[in-house]
Amino acid sequence: MWVKGEIIQRVDWNDKLFSLKIKAPIAPYIAGQFIKLSQLKEDKRVARAYSIVNAPGDDFIEVLAVAVEDGQLSPQLQSLSIGDTIDVSPKASGFMTLDEIPQGELQGKHLWLLSTGTAVGPFISMLLTSEPWERFEKVVLVYGVRLAVDLAYINIIQQLQLQYPEQFCFVPIVTRESYDGALNCRIPQAIDSGLLQKQLQLDINPQDSQVMICGNPGMIADAQNTLEELGLTKNLRRAPGQITVEKYW
């Protein structure tokens, strides 16, 4: 089942990276969840999952996407203009939400959000709600990209820095060029070397830390292994831990 969504705004961050705001009658969702966008292509339905970037409660949904040259759907999405339509799943899905993070004594004091590329989307949605700021003493967003032009939503991130100056820490990571204020290595290496923790003057340990990871599978696997070496464990409903992951493809 699909509902009709209408493009009401778009932002082109660079020649491949873009955001779409879509007016669609979907059910209420939780920050961190994703919806599916779909088109009929030669009588065959093509559908892909995209995380919702905006906070729950808006009368639209926003997605961040990158156009892949041989992609089944992303080139068509990039060609959409205001007023065009796209099929949308009527209900969001996904379990990478703050609801899944242990509470009470098991919660810890610091929330680390590790993302690469368009996987920053669900974390932006979470940061635009009150929950992380009410639950954690420190909230850290680590945002890894290849080139500086791939950094999206910097305007929102800067607003959060002004709004929560003592609570919010932002670390951009740009791997293929030097960029002022950014680390120049992969996220797992930044943790393994201690460079990330040193820059923030924050330790990552099982007592204080909850870590959510979203991005490419290689980063997730390597970051999880590095965190497990620091004593953290995967967060499961039957066995609460400190590492919550969602693979982005």
Side-chain angles (χ1 to χ4, degrees):
M1 179 181 173
W2 301 91
V3 297
K4 193 66 67 176
E6 179 186 355
I7 309 302
I8 59 173
Q9 187 178 332
R10 63 173 293 145
V11 175
D12 291 282
W13 305 100
N14 59 42
D15 61 344
K16 295 291 185 183
L17 185 67
F18 61 99
S19 296
L20 297 175
K21 284 186 179 180
I22 306 168
K23 185 90 170 179
I26 72 165
Y29 60 91
I30 302 171
Q33 291 189 311
F34 62 86
I35 47 91
K36 288 186 177 181
L37 302 180
S38 175
Q39 280 188 337
L40 284 174
K41 193 175 180 181
E42 297 176 353
D43 295 326
K44 181 180 179 183
R45 184 166 291 282
V46 178
R48 293 292 184 271
Y50 292 91
S51 290
I52 302 173
V53 179
N54 56 304
D58 290 334
D59 62 354
F60 60 87
I61 53 173
E62 183 168 354
V63 299
L64 176 64
V66 62
V68 180
E69 190 171 335
D70 57 349
Q72 292 293 304
L73 185 61
S74 60
Q76 287 74 26
L77 293 182
Q78 190 184 30
S79 69
L80 294 175
S81 301
I82 293 173
D84 289 341
T85 60
I86 183 75
D87 290 339
V88 182
S89 58
K91 186 176 179 180
S93 305
F95 296 101
M96 199 190 66
T97 65
L98 290 172
D99 291 3
E100 299 294 321
I101 301 295
Q103 300 199 34
E105 294 181 359
L106 297 175
Q107 175 178 281
K109 299 184 295 183
H110 305 147
L111 176 65
W112 297 75
L113 307 173
L114 311 182
S115 64
T116 55
T118 57
V120 74
F123 294 147
I124 296 294
S125 182
M126 292 178 198
L127 293 172
L128 290 173
T129 70
S130 61
E131 187 172 357
W133 314 108
E134 293 171 351
R135 290 180 57 182
F136 295 93
E137 293 179 14
K138 294 284 186 181
V139 178
V140 180
L141 174 64
V142 182
Y143 182 6
V145 294
R146 296 177 180 179
L147 302 171
V149 294
D150 298 325
L151 291 166
Y153 295 103
I154 293 299
N155 56 328
I156 290 178
I157 292 169
Q158 290 172 340
Q159 290 171 11
L160 292 168
Q161 289 176 306
L162 292 173
Q163 190 172 357
Y164 305 100
E166 302 299 322
Q167 200 175 1
F168 182 47
C169 304
F170 171 54
V171 181
I173 291 185
V174 180
T175 59
R176 296 195 178 180
E177 65 180 355
S178 178
Y179 182 66
D180 188 37
L183 298 180
N184 184 232
C185 62
R186 295 179 66 239
I187 292 174
Q189 294 168 334
I191 298 170
D192 186 46
S193 66
L195 186 63
L196 179 61
Q197 299 92 308
K198 183 178 179 180
Q199 174 160 321
L200 297 172
Q201 295 298 297
L202 280 181
D203 193 20
I204 299 178
N205 59 59
Q207 294 74 39
D208 296 329
S209 311
Q210 283 290 335
V211 184
M212 305 184 81
I213 316 173
C214 189
N216 69 74
M219 184 279 285
I220 291 176
D222 292 347
Q224 186 171 337
N225 289 338
T226 300
L227 292 167
E228 288 173 350
E229 291 174 1
L230 295 176
L232 283 70
T233 60
K234 190 170 182 180
N235 179 37
L236 304 170
R237 287 183 175 178
R238 66 178 183 275
Q242 302 84 27
I243 306 169
T244 302
V245 305
E246 180 167 87
K247 293 180 180 177
Y248 224 55
W249 63 75

